[in-house]
Amino acid sequence: MKTLSPRHLLTASVLAVTVGLGIAGAQQATTDVSPEASQQAQEAANNNQPLGANVTDGANPQAAQASFADLVEKVSPAVVNITTTSVVTQPAGGQGPMFPEGSPFSDLFRDFGFPGMPGPDGQQRRMPQRSNALGSGFVISADGYIVTNNHVIDGADEIEVEFYSGNTLPAEVVGTDPNTDVAVLKVESDDPIPFVKFGDSDVARVGDWVLALGNPLGQGFSASTGIVSARNRELSGTYDDYLQTDAAINRGNSGGPLFDMNGDVIGVNTAILSPNGGSIGIGFSMASNVVSKVVNQLREYGETRRGWLGVKIQDVTPDMAEALGLSEEQGAMVTDVPDGPAKDAGMKSGDVITSFDGAEVEDTRGLVRRVAEAPAGEAVDVIVQRDGEPVTLSVTLGRREVAEGNEAPSADPQAPSESELLGMTLSTLTPEIAAELGIDGDVQGLAVKSVDPEGVAADKGLAAGDIITEAGQQPVASVSDLNDRIDEAREAGRKSLLVLIRRAGEPRFVALPIPQAD
């Protein structure tokens, strides 16, 4: 599979920053839904029935379409525009008044923090600004549950949902899953709300017609059509399973639905591949069979509860298959079995996992997804090839979120596994975190979990998901190692520290300013 350049892979959302009292918003779209269709949509909601159930009326839904108008009219009452509001601190815009060199007025405005001028400490004054993000979503139940992308609502102070009719309601976050970029919202309404249902994305074929609805570029409700261009696309995450489509998807379509011709949601529009920020016919929708499982957990628990096997694995190559006497180069080779469910069940390094819970395992990606979708705490049968013979193990799965949140602490109490340093939240790179980031589990370093937007790391372009592998041209495997490199740089009289980061597997050196000792 061809690797996608990260600089060209964009989330399909719109971000606008306004100063003062001005707030950007989506333009109000003129409704094309007839009164009859609106009445039918409300009756369906009152009867707790999803929209689009009778849209084909016995016709072949994949036949050549003279018009998509009937489908759009049926399902559009369940599609929403989402506006989020948050207050961020940004450098004050504009330039302060110009004064002659040495003018006392220059000192006066500097001392009182005139916008655009540095203060007494030499730092430019920052002002609170209101940030609006625009995205899309869709209603999945008559009682007001809404699905969108996590990045649409991440960090929002207020969330407002605009329905196709023009009505607006405030929304609360039920739960989010950054791993699949899915969020579930809830609105309260006196009347049942028209909704749509998830379809089976596994039956979608390359060439099938699809319909995308949403709020592109903040222009309000809009429809676009195309076909499924490819299936099973993997972009950057552990649980990725994207449908690729040439239906026009632009920024602002994030979180909107991708419909099949039955009126079922088979994908959530999430990202586009573009060199210029606009649609060039390569869009990606997270498959509904992934999203629906996440949504069910978020609605029930407010969080995800993924299964955890507790092994390090790699794909089986042709040479490995021959050496192991396997008839096919498929399965997942176990390279390490730390303490966990697999070890308790008797799994060993060198085993090849060929079946999980009754289904064949083709590769590591498929196994990771199947384990994640399996219920934590339940026993499943895992078949492994060991010494040329199949061995069946009963493994009681753990919960991945608990395993990741309870890593063994560092033996040195002065060297925690997670720490705030140089404007970043850093964590020791564990095999589980490495798997989440899609990198080799043997890599040592520090994972950047978050970046202070006003810190030195953000100024140098570091971002969450970066891996720091070297500092001062020496390997780092813990926060303590990085602190030692900082101390050494200070003692040498340096004002910055050269660090090597890896982003999507690509190395890059960055010189980070370091605070001077008191």
Side-chain angles (χ1 to χ4, degrees):
M1 182 174 60
K2 188 174 181 181
T3 302
L4 302 175
S5 174
R7 63 185 175 183
H8 291 164
L9 186 61
L10 307 172
T11 55
S13 62
V14 169
L15 179 66
V17 177
T18 62
V19 181
L21 299 178
I23 301 177
Q27 296 181 4
Q28 178 64 44
T30 301
T31 178
D32 291 325
V33 176
S34 66
E36 293 80 7
S38 296
Q39 179 62 30
Q40 291 173 2
Q42 187 58 56
E43 289 177 356
N46 294 339
N47 295 326
N48 200 31
Q49 294 179 346
L51 302 178
N54 302 315
V55 69
T56 55
D57 291 329
N60 180 4
Q62 296 299 342
Q65 293 293 314
S67 173
F68 289 83
D70 289 342
L71 177 60
V72 173
E73 190 174 51
K74 283 282 188 179
V75 299
S76 57
V79 182
V80 299
N81 294 339
I82 296 175
T83 302
T84 65
T85 303
S86 59
V87 177
V88 298
T89 302
Q90 297 287 350
Q95 184 176 5
M98 301 299 295
F99 298 106
E101 183 67 26
S103 169
F105 292 103
S106 177
D107 295 334
L108 176 65
F109 279 95
R110 179 181 297 111
D111 291 342
F112 282 91
F114 192 92
M117 298 195 66
D121 56 1
Q123 298 295 318
Q124 189 179 29
R125 294 300 179 189
R126 296 172 179 261
M127 295 181 63
Q129 295 180 328
R130 186 172 294 273
S131 170
N132 280 2
L134 307 176
S136 306
F138 55 98
V139 186
I140 59 169
S141 66
D143 56 349
Y145 283 95
I146 295 171
V147 174
T148 186
N149 280 146
N150 175 62
H151 75 260
V152 170
I153 55 90
D154 188 30
D157 297 320
E158 298 177 3
I159 304 173
E160 186 176 75
V161 173
E162 180 185 10
F163 294 86
Y164 192 87
S165 63
N167 296 331
T168 61
L169 289 173
E172 298 292 335
V173 177
V174 174
T176 64
D177 178 34
N179 289 313
T180 55
D181 199 10
V182 171
V184 176
L185 310 178
K186 182 71 164 62
V187 296
E188 299 296 336
S189 173
D190 294 334
D191 299 318
I193 302 174
F195 65 98
V196 289
K197 65 182 179 70
F198 287 110
D200 185 358
S201 56
D202 286 345
V203 303
R205 300 182 302 164
V206 174
D208 280 351
W209 285 109
V210 286
L211 168 72
L213 297 180
N215 178 24
L217 301 173
Q219 295 303 301
F221 184 88
S222 181
S224 59
T225 63
I227 62 170
V228 175
S229 304
R231 290 171 35 87
N232 303 122
R233 290 299 200 199
E234 180 182 6
L235 301 185
S236 60
T238 303
Y239 313 111
D240 283 6
D241 185 12
Y242 284 98
L243 297 176
Q244 180 184 325
T245 178
D246 65 348
I249 295 175
N250 287 283
R251 296 185 177 186
N253 276 112
S254 269
L258 187 73
F259 289 101
D260 64 13
M261 299 311 294
N262 293 314
D264 296 333
V265 178
I266 60 169
V268 178
N269 301 324
T270 302
I272 58 176
L273 185 66
S274 173
N276 55 23
S279 173
I280 60 171
I282 306 178
F284 300 95
S285 300
M286 182 64 79
S288 60
N289 285 359
V290 174
V291 176
S292 60
K293 293 179 175 66
V294 172
V295 167
N296 289 339
Q297 290 188 350
L298 294 179
R299 288 181 64 178
E300 184 173 359
Y301 307 114
E303 60 185 359
T304 56
R305 298 188 176 183
R306 293 188 169 95
W308 178 58
L309 188 59
V311 292
K312 295 174 65 176
I313 53 178
Q314 68 179 77
D315 285 331
V316 176
T317 65
D319 291 342
M320 291 169 59
E322 182 183 15
L324 294 169
L326 301 177
S327 59
E328 297 178 290
E329 52 188 85
Q330 66 179 35
M333 179 80 171
V334 179
T335 60
D336 188 25
V337 188
D339 292 339
K343 186 174 183 179
D344 294 341
M347 196 171 295
K348 300 179 180 180
S349 176
D351 288 346
V352 177
I353 301 175
T354 58
S355 174
F356 178 86
D357 198 18
E360 289 188 359
V361 174
E362 295 185 0
D363 52 26
T364 56
R365 179 189 174 203
L367 177 61
V368 169
R369 279 193 53 203
R370 289 192 58 81
V371 172
E373 292 172 356
E378 293 190 7
V380 297
D381 286 338
V382 180
I383 300 177
V384 302
Q385 284 291 119
R386 181 184 297 170
D387 299 328
E389 299 292 334
V391 177
T392 300
L393 305 173
S394 180
V395 183
T396 301
L397 299 178
R399 184 181 168 196
R400 175 174 288 273
E401 292 83 0
V402 174
E404 292 176 344
N406 291 281
E407 296 296 332
S410 172
D412 181 0
Q414 300 302 318
S417 61
E418 182 173 322
S419 180
E420 301 281 343
L421 194 63
L422 299 179
M424 299 175 286
T425 301
L426 302 172
S427 175
T428 302
L429 186 62
T430 64
E432 289 76 14
I433 295 177
E436 292 286 346
L437 296 175
I439 63 176
D440 188 345
D442 293 328
V443 174
Q444 289 190 329
L446 296 174
V448 180
K449 301 192 71 175
S450 63
V451 177
D452 180 356
E454 299 181 9
V456 296
D459 290 341
K460 294 297 182 179
L462 271 74
D466 289 343
I467 305 297
I468 300 176
T469 57
E470 291 183 12
Q473 297 183 304
Q474 298 182 55
V476 293
S478 66
V479 176
S480 177
D481 290 344
L482 182 57
N483 271 317
D484 290 342
R485 302 294 89 78
I486 292 174
D487 291 341
E488 291 169 3
R490 284 199 191 106
E491 292 173 3
R494 300 189 185 97
K495 296 182 179 180
S496 61
L497 177 68
L498 189 67
V499 299
L500 177 63
I501 69 167
R502 291 186 178 273
R503 178 180 297 171
E506 297 297 325
R508 181 167 65 100
F509 281 104
V510 176
L512 288 178
I514 57 176
Q516 298 303 304
D518 295 332

